[in-house]
Amino acid sequence: MGFVFISHSSREDRTANALNNWLIAEGHEAVFLDHVDIVGGDEWEERLYTELRRCRALIALISANWLASPWLHS
């Protein structure tokens, strides 16, 4: 299965977690979710761009919070 990147506002972490768990349960072994996959000390911004270039599918959890964030649609 292709690599999936989940884009979301941190205010929708619960929904993003549920989606991540569902994708894994459906057999997607390569899912990137920032607050799960980035650990303290990581170069987080570089890691995000690396994972975006690597992904084959991007799922955007679009909400008012997502739309208000300059990071999520720039």
Side-chain angles (χ1 to χ4, degrees):
M1 304 246 174
F3 182 75
V4 180
F5 186 104
I6 301 173
S7 175
H8 71 292
S9 164
S10 61
R11 293 183 181 198
E12 276 81 33
D13 279 353
R14 183 180 296 179
T15 303
N17 284 334
L19 177 58
N20 183 53
N21 293 337
W22 180 79
L23 288 167
I24 291 168
E26 289 295 311
H28 294 273
E29 296 176 2
V31 180
F32 179 81
L33 182 57
D34 61 355
H35 64 269
V36 171
D37 296 307
I38 295 178
V39 296
D42 278 354
E43 296 286 335
W44 65 269
E45 189 173 353
E46 181 179 325
R47 176 82 188 273
L48 287 176
Y49 289 117
T50 297
E51 300 301 339
L52 278 168
R53 284 189 299 273
R54 192 168 84 107
C55 77
R56 296 290 176 242
L58 180 127
I59 298 173
L61 298 179
I62 299 174
S63 66
N65 293 315
W66 189 91
L67 292 170
S69 173
W71 283 102
L72 298 174
H73 56 80
S74 57

